[in-house]
Amino acid sequence: AQISDSGAYSVTVSNILSSVQSSVAQVLITDPPVDITTGLVMHFKFDEMSGFAAADSSGRGNNGTLNFTTGDGSEWVAGRLGGALFMNPVEGGNDDYVVTDNVVALDNQDRFTFAFWAKLAPGWGVNPRIITPMTGHWVLWQPNTGVGFYVPTASPQPLVDIWRHFAVVYDRVVGTYQLFVDGVRSGVEVPGRSRSAPGDSQWVIGHSEALHI
């Protein structure tokens, strides 16, 4: 059955003498729940709401530590789902980030999907990083251009005080990435973004610009 099969149905039973029809029943067909957490390498909910530790909910123990945040609790804010981090308020500089406590061992060094909610706070900066291994620039937002692998092509961007969902799908073998914004594919695959395998590296979230993530 498909979702389009939802609707009003009745049953007619007949023989050579007569027929009888049932009352009308409404049938609703829905998609099964989508599993989006099994197999994740890192999953930060950012719902601690205090301190400097960010727990990884993937089950792999890739926890992180906040660096250069104010430390007064103001960096922990409400997110689109659960909590979020308010990085680099105007009065706080542009150096806030989370770094994994240990190197992250990846099952697959060639194909990645990075997904996150983000919204912009009033302020300005240069090329805020979203997530990257210590070995180089990977996913970031270039203001007035877009989100993607450095240097990203034109695409929808974080908006002031409006949460948007971004997913960046990367194929390291051919050096291409594809961006999805709020579940909608944005443009075509972007070529020419080759990167070395990250190996066993620590990963960094954030650094530069006023951004909730």
Side-chain angles (χ1 to χ4, degrees), residues 5-197:
D5 293 327
S6 298
Y9 289 85
S10 63
V11 176
T12 300
V13 179
S14 62
N15 57 27
I16 59 175
L17 298 177
S18 65
S19 64
V20 61
Q21 186 174 17
S22 71
S23 58
V24 176
Q26 293 291 331
V27 177
L28 176 63
I29 300 171
T30 60
D31 280 332
V34 177
D35 181 1
I36 60 173
T37 58
T38 299
L40 296 180
V41 175
M42 289 188 291
H43 180 198
F44 290 104
K45 297 181 179 180
F46 296 134
D47 55 5
E48 287 80 3
M49 304 313 292
S50 65
F52 295 95
D56 168 32
S57 297
S58 73
R60 297 194 178 205
N62 292 318
N63 304 313
T65 298
L66 281 63
N67 288 264
F68 297 107
T69 55
T70 60
D72 61 4
S74 62
E75 60 269 32
W76 298 97
V77 296
R80 176 62 180 81
L81 298 172
L85 287 178
F86 181 15
M87 294 182 172
N88 306 306
V90 174
E91 67 279 7
N94 63 355
D95 53 2
D96 300 359
Y97 65 92
V98 176
V99 63
T100 58
D101 296 335
N102 301 297
V103 298
V104 176
L106 300 172
D107 299 330
N108 188 326
Q109 294 277 335
D110 295 325
R111 291 178 174 85
F112 308 80
T113 298
F114 306 95
F116 52 93
W117 291 95
K119 71 175 180 178
L120 178 64
W124 201 248
V126 179
N127 297 341
R129 299 171 180 85
I130 304 298
I131 184 167
T132 181
M134 285 284 198
T135 54
H137 294 115
W138 282 42
V139 179
L140 53 74
W141 166 46
Q142 184 172 356
N144 295 323
T145 302
V147 172
F149 270 67
Y150 184 76
V151 177
T153 60
S155 74
Q157 303 181 59
L159 300 174
V160 175
D161 290 333
I162 298 176
W163 286 106
R164 305 189 85 172
H165 186 268
F166 297 85
V168 181
V169 180
Y170 181 53
D171 187 332
R172 198 184 67 81
V173 174
V174 294
T176 62
Y177 78 84
Q178 176 68 69
L179 176 67
F180 295 81
V181 181
D182 295 328
V184 178
R185 180 173 175 168
S186 174
V188 299
E189 284 189 335
V190 180
R193 300 300 188 271
S194 61
R195 296 289 189 276
S196 299

